[in-house]
Each structure stands twice: as C-alpha cells, then as structure tokens.
Amino acid sequence: MFILSTTMLGCSEDEVIEERVPLVKTQRVDRSANMSESNYAGTVCGRYETNLSFQVGGRLINRAVDVGSRVAIGDVLMTLDTKDIVQQVNQGEAQVNAALAQLQLAESNFYRYEQLYREDAIPAAVLDQYRTTFDAARASYDNAVAAAEQTHNALSYTNLVADADGVISSVNVEQGQVIAAGQTVLTLIQTGELEVEINVPENKLPTVDQEATIKFWALSSETRGVVREIAPMADAVSRTYRVRITLTEPPRGVQLGMTANAIFTDRSEVSDAIILPLSAIYQSDDQARVWTVGGDQTVELKPVTVQRFEGNNVLVDGLKRGEVVVVAGVNKLRVGQKVRTEDARP
C-alpha cells in the first residue's frame, strides 16, 4: 500500500513540474523586422480646385449643373441673359461705321489738299492741318474697332464653359439671380489628377518618404502614391502638417471624397537594426537586454543597443537573424529556464 502511494505521488509531481513550464510569446528576427510602417487616414481629392466666374455681369437664365455633376471640357455650365450685351454689340458696330465714315472723309480731304499743295495752291500749314485730321480719324476708327471686338468677346463670355473634366463641388447662385463680373458662381474639381490628403504629426514628419502605398476603404485594390507637397507650416490647432500624395495610377472606381489609407515604410539607417515591442526589453544595471530562446528551449539574456523609440516599439541593434526573442512576460523569467514558445512573426 505504501509503495503504491509513493508511485502515485511521483506521477503527480512530474505533472506539476511539466505544467509550470511557462508559455511565452516570441518574435523571430528576420529580414522584415528592420522595417516599421506608419499609417495615416486621408481623403481622395483633386489636385486642382477652380472657382469659376463670369467675365461679364448679367442675369442668370440657365444653370445646367448641380452639386456632384460630372462635366467634360467644353461643356456649357451656365448662361447669362444676352439682351444688354447684344445692344452693346450693336452700339459698338454703329460706332465703327461712324468712325469709318469720318475716316473716309478725312482721307478724301487730305488727298485733295495734298494735290493742291503740289500745285502750290495752298501753303504747307493747311496741308499739315488736314494730315492731322486724317491721322486722328484713323486712330478713332481703330479705337472703335477695338471696342467693338471687346463687346463681341463679352457676348461669348455669357456662356460659362468648363475648361477641364471634373466634378462640380459647389454652386453659389440660382437661376434668375443678377451676377457681377468676377463673382464666384461654382467650384470645379478637376479629376484628371487625383490626390490623397493626409495630416501628419510633427514628430512623424521625418518618416514621410517620397513614396507610399495607398489603400482604399471602399475598394479591394491599392496603388502607389508619390508625395507632391508638404505644408511648410503646421496647422495652428491640430499641430499637424498637410501632406498631398499624387496617385500615379488611380484604381478603377476611385471617387472624390473616398477614405484612403496612406502607408509609409520606415527603413532604418542601420541595416542590422530590429523593431521590437517595448515589452521585450528587460532593463538590468542600466543595460537594455532581451531574452532569447535557444534550441533547447531555455532562455538567456542578451544585451542590445537601443537606437530609438517609435511609439510602443523600440529599434534595437545586436541581434542576429533567426534568433527568437521573448516579447511578453520578460520580468518573470530567469537564466536557463525552460519555456514553451510560439513564434510570432511580424
């Protein structure tokens, strides 16, 4: 009876010892571990946003677009009443005819008195007077022609035409309203060049590289983006910098206003540096160390050099590719202790 109890007690102790071997979370050092990613939410927008206006004033009699309307280059967007401008055109043409009649009369008189001067019938002073009258009449005619051409141009300005393909983002006037020259009547966002606008915190600005991977929340596709513009000053309220990223090849289905995600890959200047979570660092005697798991499933402390901190991560140097690092529960381990591991590859 005693022997049986001893045997059972021995089995119970073995089971207890096996259960006490801790299970630790680990990360294997590999090629991709020396890179970190920064993600920024943004919005799809057009590179060019134009406020359109008429070059002449008048009453709006036709509005062919609404907010959200897609337009093509050359489309007539709005039209003004042409009655007053037509009268200006008629008036300009009448002034041209009157100036032409004065010019013809002055020209005829000049040539007549020029002939008399050659026959010594009149003095040179009289001829100079008619020459001046002729020159003035010619100048008046040129001025009338220019004014008439201006009124003809004004007539063509009564049609507001789209100068590029795009989408109407705002309309500021209604049909029947009297509009002044230069008054903004609508806003056109050109769709020829699409961009993603993001806001980057000032401490992350150095990580914004020239290229980014752009993903769209509403689409399954992604594309490449190139940073075109970084605001020279931070926003006074949010303290972030506005960054514009040009979409090199916008995927099919991308619309203005869509939510996008810009991903920047930060590659360390030190090729052997590794990104680890802060929870992997074991601080001892002012020396940063990490627990590494050997082939016999025992842990050892290894010193590392901290390059810099990135939020909840840390960039360290001193590890070799293929090593397994404990990234959680480091304060409960001891040198030579056996552990159970599950690789957590980034």
Side-chain angles (χ1 to χ4, degrees), residues 284-343:
S284 175
D285 300 330
D286 295 330
Q287 171 64 53
R289 293 181 170 88
V290 295
W291 291 99
T292 60
V293 182
D296 57 355
Q297 297 298 102
T298 61
V299 293
E300 298 292 337
L301 270 178
K302 187 171 185 178
V304 293
T305 302
V306 175
Q307 299 291 339
R308 67 173 184 267
F309 295 93
E310 298 181 348
N312 293 324
N313 296 325
V314 60
L315 189 68
V316 301
D317 189 18
L319 296 174
K320 297 180 180 178
R321 188 167 300 149
E323 288 187 295
V324 178
V325 179
V326 179
V327 296
V330 297
N331 294 321
K332 298 180 179 180
L333 301 177
R334 65 179 185 275
V335 176
Q337 182 179 5
K338 280 188 172 292
V339 296
R340 291 178 295 148
T341 64
E342 294 181 2
D343 289 347

Side-chain angles (χ1 to χ4, degrees), residues 54-62 76 78-83 85-86 153-161:
F54 286 97
Q55 293 180 247
V56 295
R59 186 173 64 88
L60 185 66
I61 60 173
N62 181 43
V76 177
M78 293 182 177
T79 303
L80 294 179
D81 190 353
T82 61
K83 292 180 181 178
I85 298 181
V86 168
N153 292 338
L155 184 60
S156 66
Y157 295 153
T158 56
N159 287 330
L160 186 62
V161 179

Side-chain angles (χ1 to χ4, degrees), residues 104-179:
Q104 293 173 343
L105 176 60
E107 182 181 15
S108 177
N109 289 335
F110 170 70
Y111 288 136
R112 184 182 302 112
Y113 278 88
E114 185 181 34
Q115 183 64 32
L116 293 174
Y117 174 74
R118 291 176 181 174
E119 298 174 355
D120 293 330
I122 59 173
V126 175
L127 179 63
D128 292 339
Q129 180 181 356
Y130 281 95
R131 179 184 288 111
T132 302
T133 302
F134 173 54
D135 292 339
R138 182 161 51 192
S140 297
Y141 173 76
D142 293 339
N143 183 63
V145 170
E149 290 179 354
Q150 187 174 9
T151 58
H152 279 285
N153 292 338
L155 184 60
S156 66
Y157 295 153
T158 56
N159 287 330
L160 186 62
V161 179
D163 57 356
D165 298 341
V167 176
I168 304 300
S169 63
S170 67
V171 178
N172 304 323
V173 294
E174 296 295 336
Q175 187 170 333
Q177 184 175 341
V178 177
I179 301 170

